[in-house]
């Protein structure tokens, strides 16, 4: 399907999705949200791509919802619901996602990055939830994902004040996994992706599932879920291969079974 506001390329099992509205710092217009939703529907159905990098074209990752577009529209429920849905859909993808963040990742941009599994930031990156300054709230999961990632106190400060933090602070607060020089951002994100591609797909999928399910339920149920997933993995061919390869002192060759 041809898209205008996003670009997609594939290198083997690695997909790279680029937000492509650089003139507006990749602000989430209605069209971008719709195209992102359609793209997520497509990638959910395939099994070839196992790691997806999300990045932004131009000088920013994403400056959030398109304020100019929103300012002209009658307020309604459609766009907030759509942004919530795409963030959740992104978070639940059956593959591993990495946000490669440079420039601004603010508002809905920060929320998209948080919906990814991992975040690699360049030294110039800035993060924030400035919605309060517009009289709204971080409505694409920010009020929930931010405190889960960085703790309630820091999350409230970011959301109440609306100011941005730099990449080093984001790293110290646990909002990003790594900070790298700007010119090496994609190289480092791809290197991380390659490591993930060497890991057994079934184990990665179930680890992700345990975290996703566990963060939304009580500890007892989450541990029970973990035990079931663990039992599944112990019966897998990949588990046999991983342990045999260790004993035989050779790299494992995982089949995803
Ligand atoms: N929407 C629309 N246009 C934008 C946005 C945006 N979010 N951000 C930047 N732009 C445009 C600017 O208007 C400008 O266009 P032009 O040159 O035509 O005037 C161009 O992009 C470049 O931006 P700046 O000149 O402002 O660049 P600076 O480097 O000076 O500043 C900033 C960068 C600090 C990121 C600044 O642009 C800014 O503050 N942007 C707005 C950030 C913001 O408030 N985001 C939150 C939006 S609300 C939100 O995301 C909620 C999401 C989920 C809920 C869904 C509800 C519908």
């Amino acid at each position: 399907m041809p898209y205008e506001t996003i670009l997609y390329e594939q290198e083997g099992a690695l997909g790279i999705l680029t937000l492509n509205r650089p003139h507006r710092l990749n602000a989430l217009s209605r069209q971008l949200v719709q195209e992102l939703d359609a793209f997520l529907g497509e990638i959910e159905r395939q099994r070839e791509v196992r790691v997806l990098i999300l990045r932004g074209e131009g000088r920013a990752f994403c400056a959030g919802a398109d304020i100019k577009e929103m300012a002209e529209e009658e307020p309604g429920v459609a766009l907030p619901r759509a942004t919530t849905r795409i963030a959740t859909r992104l978070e639940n993808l059956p593959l591993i996602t990495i946000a490669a963040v440079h420039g601004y990742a603010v508002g809905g941009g920060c929320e998209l990055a948080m919906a990814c599994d991992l975040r690699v930031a360049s030294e110039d990156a800035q993060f924030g939830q400035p919605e309060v300054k517009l009289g709204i709230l971080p409505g694409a999961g920010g009020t929930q994902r931010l405190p889960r990632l960085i703790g309630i106190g820091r999350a409230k400060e970011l959301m109440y004040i609306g100011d941005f933090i730099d990449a080093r602070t984001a790293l110290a607060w646990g909002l990003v996994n790594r900070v790298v020089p700007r010119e090496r951002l994609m190289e480092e994100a791809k290197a991380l992706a390659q490591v993930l591609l060497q890991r057994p797909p079934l184990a990665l999928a179930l680890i992700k599932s345990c975290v996703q399910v566990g963060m939304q339920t009580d500890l007892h149920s989450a541990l029970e879920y973990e035990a079931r997933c663990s039992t599944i993995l112990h019966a897998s061919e990949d588990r046999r291969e991983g342990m045999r390869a260790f004993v035989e002192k050779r790299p494992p060759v995982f089949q995803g079974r």
Side-chain angles (χ1 to χ4, degrees):
M1 177 175 171
Y3 297 115
E4 288 178 0
T5 60
I6 53 175
L7 302 170
Y8 179 65
E9 55 195 299
Q10 208 174 305
E11 300 171 7
L14 170 64
I16 301 174
L17 178 64
T18 302
L19 305 176
N20 190 33
R21 296 186 75 227
H23 60 292
R24 288 205 180 169
L25 305 185
N26 301 317
L28 303 167
S29 62
R30 209 166 263 280
Q31 183 185 3
L32 198 158
V33 169
Q34 280 165 359
E35 292 190 353
L36 209 44
D37 203 20
F39 171 81
L40 292 171
E42 284 184 37
I43 199 128
E44 272 166 6
R45 288 192 294 273
Q46 60 80 49
R47 287 293 170 265
E48 196 184 335
V49 175
R50 293 197 284 113
V51 179
L52 180 73
I53 296 177
L54 177 62
R55 62 178 294 276
E57 186 61 44
R59 67 181 174 92
F61 176 76
C62 173
D66 190 315
I67 302 168
K68 289 175 177 169
E69 200 180 81
M70 282 198 298
E72 287 167 10
E73 291 176 349
E74 283 299 311
V77 292
L79 187 59
R81 290 267 176 230
T83 52
T84 303
R85 191 178 65 245
I86 56 163
T88 301
R89 211 169 180 184
L90 177 62
E91 184 175 48
N92 290 330
L93 278 183
L95 41 83
I96 305 298
T97 51
I98 303 171
V101 178
H102 75 288
Y104 296 98
V106 299
C110 188
E111 292 172 301
L112 279 187
M114 287 192 289
C116 291
D117 292 308
L118 303 168
R119 283 150 293 283
V120 179
S122 64
E123 285 162 347
D124 71 333
Q126 294 201 52
F127 297 82
Q129 299 290 167
E131 286 88 343
V132 68
K133 295 178 177 174
L134 300 167
I136 58 174
L137 57 74
T143 64
Q144 303 309 305
R145 291 194 181 95
L146 192 60
R148 282 168 170 77
L149 267 175
I150 68 173
I152 294 173
R154 285 168 170 164
K156 281 183 176 170
E157 181 183 336
L158 279 184
M159 291 190 283
Y160 289 171
I161 309 292
D163 289 345
F164 302 159
I165 55 171
D166 62 18
R168 291 282 156 203
T169 308
L171 182 66
W173 287 9
L175 183 53
V176 301
N177 298 83
R178 295 173 190 193
V179 176
V180 301
R182 171 74 187 90
E183 64 279 6
R184 295 218 332 259
L185 178 62
M186 280 311 287
E187 196 184 316
E188 296 285 343
K190 284 184 182 183
L192 180 58
Q194 289 307 327
V195 173
L196 292 163
L197 287 173
Q198 288 164 23
R199 298 291 179 259
L202 201 54
L204 279 185
L206 290 188
I207 292 169
K208 175 166 178 167
S209 180
C210 282
V211 176
Q212 299 299 113
V213 170
M215 292 306 289
Q216 295 167 43
T217 189
D218 63 284
L219 183 60
H220 179 78
S221 310
L223 291 174
E224 177 56 31
Y225 184 74
E226 183 195 71
R228 288 178 188 203
C229 291
S230 188
T231 305
I232 292 170
L233 287 180
H234 275 272
S236 72
E237 285 181 30
D238 282 354
R239 176 259 191 203
R240 215 168 298 133
E241 166 63 9
M243 296 195 181
R244 201 181 297 138
F246 175 83
V247 173
E248 294 170 4
K249 297 187 187 296
R250 61 168 174 83
V253 183
F254 294 118
Q255 304 293 338
R257 292 194 293 265

